[in-house]
PDB file of all heavy atoms in Angstrom:
ATOM      1  N   VAL I  16    -158.336  14.292  -5.167  1.00 97.00           N
ATOM      2  CA  VAL I  16    -158.201  13.197  -4.203  1.00 97.00           C
ATOM      3  C   VAL I  16    -157.144  12.214  -4.707  1.00 97.00           C
ATOM      4  O   VAL I  16    -157.211  11.734  -5.837  1.00 97.00           O
ATOM      5  CB  VAL I  16    -159.535  12.454  -3.988  1.00 97.00           C
ATOM      6  CG1 VAL I  16    -159.341  11.290  -3.025  1.00 97.00           C
ATOM      7  CG2 VAL I  16    -160.597  13.410  -3.455  1.00 97.00           C
ATOM      8  N   PHE I  17    -156.167  11.938  -3.850  1.00 97.00           N
ATOM      9  CA  PHE I  17    -155.115  10.976  -4.154  1.00 97.00           C
ATOM     10  C   PHE I  17    -155.085   9.912  -3.054  1.00 97.00           C
ATOM     11  O   PHE I  17    -155.678  10.069  -1.987  1.00 97.00           O
ATOM     12  CB  PHE I  17    -153.743  11.656  -4.219  1.00 97.00           C
ATOM     13  CG  PHE I  17    -153.593  12.624  -5.357  1.00 97.00           C
ATOM     14  CD1 PHE I  17    -154.004  13.944  -5.224  1.00 97.00           C
ATOM     15  CD2 PHE I  17    -153.050  12.220  -6.566  1.00 97.00           C
ATOM     16  CE1 PHE I  17    -153.879  14.840  -6.267  1.00 97.00           C
ATOM     17  CE2 PHE I  17    -152.918  13.116  -7.616  1.00 97.00           C
ATOM     18  CZ  PHE I  17    -153.332  14.423  -7.470  1.00 97.00           C
ATOM     19  N   TYR I  18    -154.355   8.850  -3.354  1.00 96.00           N
ATOM     20  CA  TYR I  18    -154.067   7.844  -2.320  1.00 96.00           C
ATOM     21  C   TYR I  18    -152.567   7.618  -2.349  1.00 96.00           C
ATOM     22  O   TYR I  18    -151.969   7.519  -3.428  1.00 96.00           O
ATOM     23  CB  TYR I  18    -154.789   6.529  -2.606  1.00 96.00           C
ATOM     24  CG  TYR I  18    -154.721   5.552  -1.452  1.00 96.00           C
ATOM     25  CD1 TYR I  18    -155.669   5.605  -0.426  1.00 96.00           C
ATOM     26  CD2 TYR I  18    -153.711   4.601  -1.365  1.00 96.00           C
ATOM     27  CE1 TYR I  18    -155.613   4.731   0.654  1.00 96.00           C
ATOM     28  CE2 TYR I  18    -153.649   3.726  -0.282  1.00 96.00           C
ATOM     29  CZ  TYR I  18    -154.598   3.798   0.715  1.00 96.00           C
ATOM     30  OH  TYR I  18    -154.532   2.940   1.796  1.00 96.00           O
ATOM     31  N   ASN I  19    -151.942   7.584  -1.175  1.00 95.00           N
ATOM     32  CA  ASN I  19    -150.504   7.322  -1.115  1.00 95.00           C
ATOM     33  C   ASN I  19    -150.292   5.904  -0.595  1.00 95.00           C
ATOM     34  O   ASN I  19    -150.628   5.586   0.549  1.00 95.00           O
ATOM     35  CB  ASN I  19    -149.793   8.332  -0.209  1.00 95.00           C
ATOM     36  CG  ASN I  19    -148.281   8.218  -0.325  1.00 95.00           C
ATOM     37  OD1 ASN I  19    -147.675   7.280   0.159  1.00 95.00           O
ATOM     38  ND2 ASN I  19    -147.668   9.193  -0.979  1.00 95.00           N
ATOM     39  N   ARG I  20    -149.747   5.062  -1.458  1.00 94.00           N
ATOM     40  CA  ARG I  20    -149.607   3.645  -1.104  1.00 94.00           C
ATOM     41  C   ARG I  20    -148.503   3.412  -0.078  1.00 94.00           C
ATOM     42  O   ARG I  20    -148.511   2.394   0.612  1.00 94.00           O
ATOM     43  CB  ARG I  20    -149.330   2.818  -2.360  1.00 94.00           C
ATOM     44  CG  ARG I  20    -148.090   3.198  -3.118  1.00 94.00           C
ATOM     45  CD  ARG I  20    -147.911   2.386  -4.388  1.00 94.00           C
ATOM     46  NE  ARG I  20    -146.711   2.748  -5.110  1.00 94.00           N
ATOM     47  CZ  ARG I  20    -145.496   2.298  -4.810  1.00 94.00           C
ATOM     48  NH1 ARG I  20    -145.333   1.463  -3.797  1.00 94.00           N
ATOM     49  NH2 ARG I  20    -144.454   2.675  -5.513  1.00 94.00           N
ATOM     50  N   LEU I  21    -147.542   4.342   0.035  1.00 93.00           N
ATOM     51  CA  LEU I  21    -146.484   4.191   1.032  1.00 93.00           C
ATOM     52  C   LEU I  21    -146.987   4.536   2.428  1.00 93.00           C
ATOM     53  O   LEU I  21    -146.649   3.870   3.410  1.00 93.00           O
ATOM     54  CB  LEU I  21    -145.282   5.072   0.674  1.00 93.00           C
ATOM     55  CG  LEU I  21    -144.632   4.791  -0.686  1.00 93.00           C
ATOM     56  CD1 LEU I  21    -143.469   5.742  -0.934  1.00 93.00           C
ATOM     57  CD2 LEU I  21    -144.136   3.346  -0.753  1.00 93.00           C
ATOM     58  N   LEU I  22    -147.807   5.581   2.512  1.00 94.00           N
ATOM     59  CA  LEU I  22    -148.382   5.979   3.796  1.00 94.00           C
ATOM     60  C   LEU I  22    -149.697   5.257   4.079  1.00 94.00           C
ATOM     61  O   LEU I  22    -150.200   5.316   5.200  1.00 94.00           O
ATOM     62  CB  LEU I  22    -148.623   7.497   3.807  1.00 94.00           C
ATOM     63  CG  LEU I  22    -147.374   8.376   3.753  1.00 94.00           C
ATOM     64  CD1 LEU I  22    -147.769   9.842   3.641  1.00 94.00           C
ATOM     65  CD2 LEU I  22    -146.495   8.149   4.975  1.00 94.00           C
ATOM     66  N   GLU I  23    -150.249   4.619   3.042  1.00 95.00           N
ATOM     67  CA  GLU I  23    -151.517   3.888   3.149  1.00 95.00           C
ATOM     68  C   GLU I  23    -152.630   4.798   3.684  1.00 95.00           C
ATOM     69  O   GLU I  23    -153.283   4.498   4.687  1.00 95.00           O
ATOM     70  CB  GLU I  23    -151.357   2.642   4.040  1.00 95.00           C
ATOM     71  CG  GLU I  23    -150.376   1.630   3.470  1.00 95.00           C
ATOM     72  CD  GLU I  23    -150.270   0.382   4.316  1.00 95.00           C
ATOM     73  OE1 GLU I  23    -150.605   0.442   5.527  1.00 95.00           O
ATOM     74  OE2 GLU I  23    -149.844  -0.656   3.790  1.00 95.00           O
ATOM     75  N   CYS I  24    -152.830   5.909   2.986  1.00 96.00           N
ATOM     76  CA  CYS I  24    -153.876   6.839   3.403  1.00 96.00           C
ATOM     77  C   CYS I  24    -154.316   7.698   2.220  1.00 96.00           C
ATOM     78  O   CYS I  24    -153.607   7.817   1.213  1.00 96.00           O
ATOM     79  CB  CYS I  24    -153.377   7.742   4.534  1.00 96.00           C
ATOM     80  SG  CYS I  24    -152.111   8.920   4.018  1.00 96.00           S
ATOM     81  N   TYR I  25    -155.495   8.298   2.352  1.00 97.00           N
ATOM     82  CA  TYR I  25    -155.982   9.251   1.362  1.00 97.00           C
ATOM     83  C   TYR I  25    -155.273  10.587   1.563  1.00 97.00           C
ATOM     84  O   TYR I  25    -154.919  10.966   2.683  1.00 97.00           O
ATOM     85  CB  TYR I  25    -157.490   9.454   1.512  1.00 97.00           C
ATOM     86  CG  TYR I  25    -158.311   8.314   0.960  1.00 97.00           C
ATOM     87  CD1 TYR I  25    -158.798   7.313   1.798  1.00 97.00           C
ATOM     88  CD2 TYR I  25    -158.599   8.230  -0.401  1.00 97.00           C
ATOM     89  CE1 TYR I  25    -159.548   6.250   1.300  1.00 97.00           C
ATOM     90  CE2 TYR I  25    -159.340   7.179  -0.914  1.00 97.00           C
ATOM     91  CZ  TYR I  25    -159.812   6.197  -0.062  1.00 97.00           C
ATOM     92  OH  TYR I  25    -160.534   5.157  -0.562  1.00 97.00           O
ATOM     93  N   VAL I  26    -155.071  11.302   0.448  1.00 97.00           N
ATOM     94  CA  VAL I  26    -154.493  12.639   0.487  1.00 97.00           C
ATOM     95  C   VAL I  26    -155.432  13.561  -0.281  1.00 97.00           C
ATOM     96  O   VAL I  26    -155.637  13.391  -1.485  1.00 97.00           O
ATOM     97  CB  VAL I  26    -153.090  12.674  -0.144  1.00 97.00           C
ATOM     98  CG1 VAL I  26    -152.524  14.092  -0.080  1.00 97.00           C
ATOM     99  CG2 VAL I  26    -152.154  11.699   0.551  1.00 97.00           C
ATOM    100  N   LEU I  27    -156.022  14.516   0.425  1.00 97.00           N
ATOM    101  CA  LEU I  27    -156.957  15.469  -0.180  1.00 97.00           C
ATOM    102  C   LEU I  27    -156.234  16.786  -0.428  1.00 97.00           C
ATOM    103  O   LEU I  27    -155.581  17.313   0.479  1.00 97.00           O
ATOM    104  CB  LEU I  27    -158.155  15.707   0.746  1.00 97.00           C
ATOM    105  CG  LEU I  27    -158.821  14.463   1.358  1.00 97.00           C
ATOM    106  CD1 LEU I  27    -160.013  14.874   2.207  1.00 97.00           C
ATOM    107  CD2 LEU I  27    -159.225  13.476   0.274  1.00 97.00           C
ATOM    108  N   ILE I  28    -156.355  17.310  -1.634  1.00 97.00           N
ATOM    109  CA  ILE I  28    -155.677  18.559  -1.977  1.00 97.00           C
ATOM    110  C   ILE I  28    -156.695  19.600  -2.403  1.00 97.00           C
ATOM    111  O   ILE I  28    -157.519  19.360  -3.293  1.00 97.00           O
ATOM    112  CB  ILE I  28    -154.647  18.340  -3.105  1.00 97.00           C
ATOM    113  CG1 ILE I  28    -153.531  17.421  -2.609  1.00 97.00           C
ATOM    114  CG2 ILE I  28    -154.071  19.674  -3.569  1.00 97.00           C
ATOM    115  CD1 ILE I  28    -152.438  17.179  -3.625  1.00 97.00           C
ATOM    116  N   GLU I  29    -156.648  20.741  -1.746  1.00 96.00           N
ATOM    117  CA  GLU I  29    -157.471  21.889  -2.100  1.00 96.00           C
ATOM    118  C   GLU I  29    -156.584  22.969  -2.705  1.00 96.00           C
ATOM    119  O   GLU I  29    -155.451  23.191  -2.256  1.00 96.00           O
ATOM    120  CB  GLU I  29    -158.181  22.442  -0.859  1.00 96.00           C
ATOM    121  CG  GLU I  29    -159.368  21.608  -0.390  1.00 96.00           C
ATOM    122  CD  GLU I  29    -160.538  21.687  -1.366  1.00 96.00           C
ATOM    123  OE1 GLU I  29    -161.182  22.742  -1.455  1.00 96.00           O
ATOM    124  OE2 GLU I  29    -160.782  20.690  -2.070  1.00 96.00           O
ATOM    125  N   LEU I  30    -157.081  23.637  -3.742  1.00 95.00           N
ATOM    126  CA  LEU I  30    -156.323  24.667  -4.442  1.00 95.00           C
ATOM    127  C   LEU I  30    -156.842  26.048  -4.070  1.00 95.00           C
ATOM    128  O   LEU I  30    -158.050  26.283  -4.046  1.00 95.00           O
ATOM    129  CB  LEU I  30    -156.435  24.453  -5.957  1.00 95.00           C
ATOM    130  CG  LEU I  30    -156.036  23.059  -6.460  1.00 95.00           C
ATOM    131  CD1 LEU I  30    -156.358  22.912  -7.939  1.00 95.00           C
ATOM    132  CD2 LEU I  30    -154.557  22.791  -6.208  1.00 95.00           C
ATOM    133  N   LYS I  31    -155.927  26.958  -3.794  1.00 93.00           N
ATOM    134  CA  LYS I  31    -156.306  28.301  -3.364  1.00 93.00           C
ATOM    135  C   LYS I  31    -155.400  29.317  -4.045  1.00 93.00           C
ATOM    136  O   LYS I  31    -154.173  29.300  -3.855  1.00 93.00           O
ATOM    137  CB  LYS I  31    -156.176  28.420  -1.833  1.00 93.00           C
ATOM    138  CG  LYS I  31    -156.644  29.727  -1.265  1.00 93.00           C
ATOM    139  CD  LYS I  31    -158.157  29.872  -1.353  1.00 93.00           C
ATOM    140  CE  LYS I  31    -158.637  31.165  -0.716  1.00 93.00           C
ATOM    141  NZ  LYS I  31    -160.092  31.349  -0.872  1.00 93.00           N
ATOM    142  N   ILE I  32    -155.993  30.207  -4.859  1.00 90.00           N
ATOM    143  CA  ILE I  32    -155.164  31.208  -5.539  1.00 90.00           C
ATOM    144  C   ILE I  32    -155.192  32.555  -4.818  1.00 90.00           C
ATOM    145  O   ILE I  32    -154.353  33.408  -5.060  1.00 90.00           O
ATOM    146  CB  ILE I  32    -155.602  31.394  -7.004  1.00 90.00           C
ATOM    147  CG1 ILE I  32    -157.022  31.962  -7.074  1.00 90.00           C
ATOM    148  CG2 ILE I  32    -155.486  30.108  -7.778  1.00 90.00           C
ATOM    149  CD1 ILE I  32    -157.421  32.373  -8.482  1.00 90.00           C
ATOM    150  N   GLY I  33    -156.167  32.748  -3.928  1.00 82.00           N
ATOM    151  CA  GLY I  33    -156.249  34.006  -3.169  1.00 82.00           C
ATOM    152  C   GLY I  33    -155.540  33.876  -1.834  1.00 82.00           C
ATOM    153  O   GLY I  33    -154.770  32.950  -1.589  1.00 82.00           O
ATOM    154  N   LYS I  34    -155.818  34.805  -0.951  1.00 83.00           N
ATOM    155  CA  LYS I  34    -155.191  34.800   0.365  1.00 83.00           C
ATOM    156  C   LYS I  34    -155.774  33.670   1.209  1.00 83.00           C
ATOM    157  O   LYS I  34    -156.990  33.486   1.288  1.00 83.00           O
ATOM    158  CB  LYS I  34    -155.426  36.144   1.061  1.00 83.00           C
ATOM    159  CG  LYS I  34    -154.664  36.297   2.371  1.00 83.00           C
ATOM    160  CD  LYS I  34    -154.842  37.693   2.938  1.00 83.00           C
ATOM    161  CE  LYS I  34    -154.045  37.857   4.232  1.00 83.00           C
ATOM    162  NZ  LYS I  34    -154.205  39.226   4.801  1.00 83.00           N
ATOM    163  N   LEU I  35    -154.906  32.915   1.845  1.00 89.00           N
ATOM    164  CA  LEU I  35    -155.342  31.791   2.673  1.00 89.00           C
ATOM    165  C   LEU I  35    -156.053  32.307   3.925  1.00 89.00           C
ATOM    166  O   LEU I  35    -155.560  33.192   4.621  1.00 89.00           O
ATOM    167  CB  LEU I  35    -154.136  30.946   3.077  1.00 89.00           C
ATOM    168  CG  LEU I  35    -154.419  29.694   3.893  1.00 89.00           C
ATOM    169  CD1 LEU I  35    -155.218  28.683   3.079  1.00 89.00           C
ATOM    170  CD2 LEU I  35    -153.116  29.062   4.368  1.00 89.00           C
ATOM    171  N   THR I  36    -157.230  31.747   4.218  1.00 90.00           N
ATOM    172  CA  THR I  36    -158.007  32.156   5.389  1.00 90.00           C
ATOM    173  C   THR I  36    -158.250  30.966   6.307  1.00 90.00           C
ATOM    174  O   THR I  36    -158.072  29.810   5.910  1.00 90.00           O
ATOM    175  CB  THR I  36    -159.371  32.736   4.965  1.00 90.00           C
ATOM    176  OG1 THR I  36    -160.167  31.677   4.383  1.00 90.00           O
ATOM    177  CG2 THR I  36    -159.196  33.853   3.945  1.00 90.00           C
ATOM    178  N   HIS I  37    -158.703  31.277   7.514  1.00 91.00           N
ATOM    179  CA  HIS I  37    -158.996  30.191   8.451  1.00 91.00           C
ATOM    180  C   HIS I  37    -160.212  29.384   7.988  1.00 91.00           C
ATOM    181  O   HIS I  37    -160.355  28.203   8.313  1.00 91.00           O
ATOM    182  CB  HIS I  37    -159.220  30.746   9.865  1.00 91.00           C
ATOM    183  CG  HIS I  37    -160.463  31.571  10.020  1.00 91.00           C
ATOM    184  ND1 HIS I  37    -160.533  32.907   9.651  1.00 91.00           N
ATOM    185  CD2 HIS I  37    -161.693  31.250  10.480  1.00 91.00           C
ATOM    186  CE1 HIS I  37    -161.742  33.368   9.894  1.00 91.00           C
ATOM    187  NE2 HIS I  37    -162.472  32.377  10.398  1.00 91.00           N
ATOM    188  N   GLN I  38    -161.095  30.017   7.197  1.00 93.00           N
ATOM    189  CA  GLN I  38    -162.235  29.272   6.644  1.00 93.00           C
ATOM    190  C   GLN I  38    -161.761  28.176   5.682  1.00 93.00           C
ATOM    191  O   GLN I  38    -162.329  27.078   5.659  1.00 93.00           O
ATOM    192  CB  GLN I  38    -163.196  30.215   5.914  1.00 93.00           C
ATOM    193  CG  GLN I  38    -163.978  31.150   6.838  1.00 93.00           C
ATOM    194  CD  GLN I  38    -163.304  32.498   6.990  1.00 93.00           C
ATOM    195  OE1 GLN I  38    -162.087  32.602   6.820  1.00 93.00           O
ATOM    196  NE2 GLN I  38    -164.075  33.529   7.321  1.00 93.00           N
ATOM    197  N   ASP I  39    -160.720  28.483   4.906  1.00 92.00           N
ATOM    198  CA  ASP I  39    -160.168  27.474   3.990  1.00 92.00           C
ATOM    199  C   ASP I  39    -159.644  26.269   4.763  1.00 92.00           C
ATOM    200  O   ASP I  39    -159.861  25.111   4.374  1.00 92.00           O
ATOM    201  CB  ASP I  39    -159.024  28.073   3.167  1.00 92.00           C
ATOM    202  CG  ASP I  39    -159.472  29.228   2.284  1.00 92.00           C
ATOM    203  OD1 ASP I  39    -160.592  29.148   1.738  1.00 92.00           O
ATOM    204  OD2 ASP I  39    -158.709  30.194   2.139  1.00 92.00           O
ATOM    205  N   ILE I  40    -158.954  26.547   5.855  1.00 93.00           N
ATOM    206  CA  ILE I  40    -158.393  25.460   6.664  1.00 93.00           C
ATOM    207  C   ILE I  40    -159.515  24.666   7.320  1.00 93.00           C
ATOM    208  O   ILE I  40    -159.485  23.431   7.373  1.00 93.00           O
ATOM    209  CB  ILE I  40    -157.431  26.034   7.725  1.00 93.00           C
ATOM    210  CG1 ILE I  40    -156.286  26.785   7.036  1.00 93.00           C
ATOM    211  CG2 ILE I  40    -156.877  24.918   8.609  1.00 93.00           C
ATOM    212  CD1 ILE I  40    -155.399  27.552   7.976  1.00 93.00           C
ATOM    213  N   GLY I  41    -160.528  25.385   7.816  1.00 93.00           N
ATOM    214  CA  GLY I  41    -161.663  24.706   8.442  1.00 93.00           C
ATOM    215  C   GLY I  41    -162.409  23.814   7.464  1.00 93.00           C
ATOM    216  O   GLY I  41    -162.847  22.705   7.806  1.00 93.00           O
ATOM    217  N   GLN I  42    -162.548  24.279   6.218  1.00 95.00           N
ATOM    218  CA  GLN I  42    -163.220  23.482   5.190  1.00 95.00           C
ATOM    219  C   GLN I  42    -162.448  22.205   4.902  1.00 95.00           C
ATOM    220  O   GLN I  42    -163.032  21.116   4.816  1.00 95.00           O
ATOM    221  CB  GLN I  42    -163.343  24.311   3.910  1.00 95.00           C
ATOM    222  CG  GLN I  42    -163.942  23.547   2.735  1.00 95.00           C
ATOM    223  CD  GLN I  42    -164.066  24.426   1.504  1.00 95.00           C
ATOM    224  OE1 GLN I  42    -165.011  25.195   1.381  1.00 95.00           O
ATOM    225  NE2 GLN I  42    -163.086  24.340   0.612  1.00 95.00           N
ATOM    226  N   LEU I  43    -161.130  22.330   4.768  1.00 95.00           N
ATOM    227  CA  LEU I  43    -160.312  21.145   4.510  1.00 95.00           C
ATOM    228  C   LEU I  43    -160.361  20.189   5.690  1.00 95.00           C
ATOM    229  O   LEU I  43    -160.391  18.966   5.513  1.00 95.00           O
ATOM    230  CB  LEU I  43    -158.867  21.560   4.220  1.00 95.00           C
ATOM    231  CG  LEU I  43    -157.892  20.419   3.926  1.00 95.00           C
ATOM    232  CD1 LEU I  43    -158.353  19.589   2.722  1.00 95.00           C
ATOM    233  CD2 LEU I  43    -156.480  20.946   3.696  1.00 95.00           C
ATOM    234  N   GLN I  44    -160.395  20.741   6.912  1.00 95.00           N
ATOM    235  CA  GLN I  44    -160.492  19.885   8.099  1.00 95.00           C
ATOM    236  C   GLN I  44    -161.770  19.062   8.061  1.00 95.00           C
ATOM    237  O   GLN I  44    -161.779  17.871   8.416  1.00 95.00           O
ATOM    238  CB  GLN I  44    -160.455  20.743   9.366  1.00 95.00           C
ATOM    239  CG  GLN I  44    -160.534  19.950  10.670  1.00 95.00           C
ATOM    240  CD  GLN I  44    -159.278  19.169  10.950  1.00 95.00           C
ATOM    241  OE1 GLN I  44    -158.248  19.735  11.309  1.00 95.00           O
ATOM    242  NE2 GLN I  44    -159.344  17.849  10.793  1.00 95.00           N
ATOM    243  N   MET I  45    -162.883  19.670   7.609  1.00 96.00           N
ATOM    244  CA  MET I  45    -164.143  18.948   7.503  1.00 96.00           C
ATOM    245  C   MET I  45    -164.032  17.820   6.476  1.00 96.00           C
ATOM    246  O   MET I  45    -164.493  16.704   6.697  1.00 96.00           O
ATOM    247  CB  MET I  45    -165.268  19.899   7.107  1.00 96.00           C
ATOM    248  CG  MET I  45    -166.634  19.214   7.011  1.00 96.00           C
ATOM    249  SD  MET I  45    -167.930  20.288   6.354  1.00 96.00           S
ATOM    250  CE  MET I  45    -167.440  20.399   4.636  1.00 96.00           C
ATOM    251  N   TYR I  46    -163.397  18.111   5.330  1.00 97.00           N
ATOM    252  CA  TYR I  46    -163.210  17.082   4.307  1.00 97.00           C
ATOM    253  C   TYR I  46    -162.401  15.905   4.851  1.00 97.00           C
ATOM    254  O   TYR I  46    -162.737  14.735   4.616  1.00 97.00           O
ATOM    255  CB  TYR I  46    -162.487  17.662   3.087  1.00 97.00           C
ATOM    256  CG  TYR I  46    -163.258  18.708   2.324  1.00 97.00           C
ATOM    257  CD1 TYR I  46    -162.646  19.462   1.320  1.00 97.00           C
ATOM    258  CD2 TYR I  46    -164.609  18.953   2.580  1.00 97.00           C
ATOM    259  CE1 TYR I  46    -163.336  20.420   0.593  1.00 97.00           C
ATOM    260  CE2 TYR I  46    -165.318  19.913   1.862  1.00 97.00           C
ATOM    261  CZ  TYR I  46    -164.674  20.645   0.873  1.00 97.00           C
ATOM    262  OH  TYR I  46    -165.357  21.598   0.170  1.00 97.00           O
TER     263      TYR I  46
END
């Protein structure tokens, strides 16, 4: 979890070493 002071918003980063799936995107959307 980061915060960008220029954009004034939180930035959430998820790490994925395998093949990207729609479940990964859906999980990040929930976060």
Side-chain angles (χ1 to χ4, degrees):
V16 178
F17 294 86
Y18 190 87
N19 190 287
R20 59 183 180 81
L21 301 179
L22 294 175
E23 297 183 338
C24 69
Y25 284 97
V26 180
L27 313 182
I28 295 182
E29 284 291 289
L30 306 173
K31 185 70 177 176
I32 64 171
K34 187 175 182 180
L35 183 65
T36 67
H37 68 279
Q38 290 94 335
D39 298 322
I40 300 172
Q42 176 179 279
L43 180 58
Q44 181 71 73
M45 182 187 71
Y46 294 170

